Amino acid sequence: MSNLLHFSEHTLQEIALVFMATVYFLRIKWFLKWTLAKERQPATGMGDTNPKKGARYSLVMIMKPWTMESTRSKPFMYAQFVLFHLGVVAAIALSFIIPYGPGLLKSAALVSAIQFMTGAALLVGIMRIIRRVTNPYMRAISSPDDHFSLILLTSWFAFALMAASNDISGGEGIIQTFFLLTAFFLMYVPFSKISHYLYYPFTRTYMGRSFGRRGVFPLRKKPAYETV
């Protein structure tokens, strides 16, 4: 292994991780300094739920696609969402396995699993790029960051797919590029739309509490008038 690759796998990644964690810490600290808005509407509903139940339901709602009309009516889009994010998890895991646990990649099953998830995510990424460019509605609401983040993620999946075997017998170019992209990612993500997951627990909790107070969350299996 060259000194450059060793630097990219270890020192550069560690610096990038500390940078990202610092920015996230400062953002959350800034976010928490604001006072949570109070509900002005009296509690409504049938009295069988409350803000806490609503918050818990809201946090896990993303794992229940049948509860959301957008995913219930478009299951293929939800499948894309799942594959895309599994690819993110696999690529992140790979960026830790190669430098800190390369022995794990002697398992052909693990390598195949990472290649499957990053390959599927790569395919979804390409489909999303095409959709964002060709669909006039998507194009109208897309910012430069939307395009750049998606292209960057898709490129990252491609190099993760090729780097999964951690084989440098044919050269270090693929793995070197994967880790350079990873380091760039870690420092770019806090300032891009990709950091949306940072706000997920806050927004979902707030929305769930509000909807729980109004008797909307958790959703009923039957309309309220049929349960009276």
Side-chain angles (χ1 to χ4, degrees):
M1 178 190 295
S2 68
N3 290 333
L4 178 60
L5 182 56
H6 185 272
F7 171 79
S8 300
E9 289 186 4
H10 292 273
T11 307
L12 183 60
Q13 300 304 306
E14 289 153 10
I15 291 173
L17 278 170
V18 170
F19 176 82
M20 184 180 75
T22 302
V23 175
Y24 276 173
F25 171 77
L26 293 175
R27 292 187 92 178
I28 292 176
K29 184 179 179 183
W30 172 82
F31 194 71
L32 292 177
K33 81 175 185 179
W34 303 101
T35 304
L36 194 63
K38 294 183 179 179
E39 279 279 1
R40 296 182 179 180
Q41 176 179 310
T44 53
M46 302 178 66
D48 57 348
T49 184
N50 55 53
K52 287 185 178 179
K53 287 183 179 179
R56 288 197 294 268
Y57 180 81
S58 178
L59 282 168
V60 300
M61 198 173 175
I62 197 169
M63 294 184 287
K64 300 177 179 178
W66 57 90
T67 63
M68 298 178 285
E69 182 181 2
S70 59
T71 50
R72 188 168 59 241
S73 59
K74 297 180 179 178
F76 183 60
M77 295 297 291
Y78 184 76
Q80 288 185 37
F81 162 82
V82 173
L83 291 173
F84 195 78
H85 287 81
L86 283 177
V88 172
V89 172
I92 291 174
L94 184 63
S95 71
F96 284 96
I97 291 174
I98 289 179
Y100 305 114
L104 295 173
L105 295 174
K106 292 179 181 177
S107 166
L110 178 60
V111 172
S112 296
I114 293 174
Q115 289 176 329
F116 172 78
M117 287 190 281
T118 53
L122 170 63
L123 181 62
V124 172
I126 293 172
M127 293 169 61
R128 287 186 170 192
I129 291 173
I130 295 172
R131 179 168 172 258
R132 193 169 286 278
V133 171
T134 58
N135 186 306
Y137 302 106
M138 290 298 297
R139 198 165 56 242
I141 63 173
S142 296
S143 68
D145 180 47
D146 291 324
H147 294 288
F148 181 70
S149 295
L150 184 54
I151 292 172
L152 185 65
L153 263 172
T154 304
S155 303
W156 189 50
F157 291 145
F159 280 95
L161 171 64
M162 293 186 286
S165 61
N166 194 26
D167 182 5
I168 58 173
S169 60
E172 297 179 347
I174 298 295
I175 297 178
Q176 181 71 64
T177 304
F178 171 66
F179 278 100
L180 290 176
L181 276 175
T182 303
F184 178 77
F185 234 131
L186 292 171
M187 290 188 276
Y188 175 71
V189 162
F191 306 102
S192 78
K193 64 169 290 182
I194 304 172
S195 63
H196 61 278
Y197 59 84
L198 186 67
Y199 301 109
Y200 180 86
F202 299 102
T203 56
R204 297 304 302 190
T205 299
Y206 182 79
M207 187 177 80
R209 288 180 61 84
S210 179
F211 282 11
R213 181 181 173 83
R214 300 178 186 191
V216 178
F217 278 1
L219 294 175
R220 294 183 180 81
K221 294 181 180 179
K222 294 182 178 179
Y225 66 85
E226 292 186 8
T227 60
V228 176

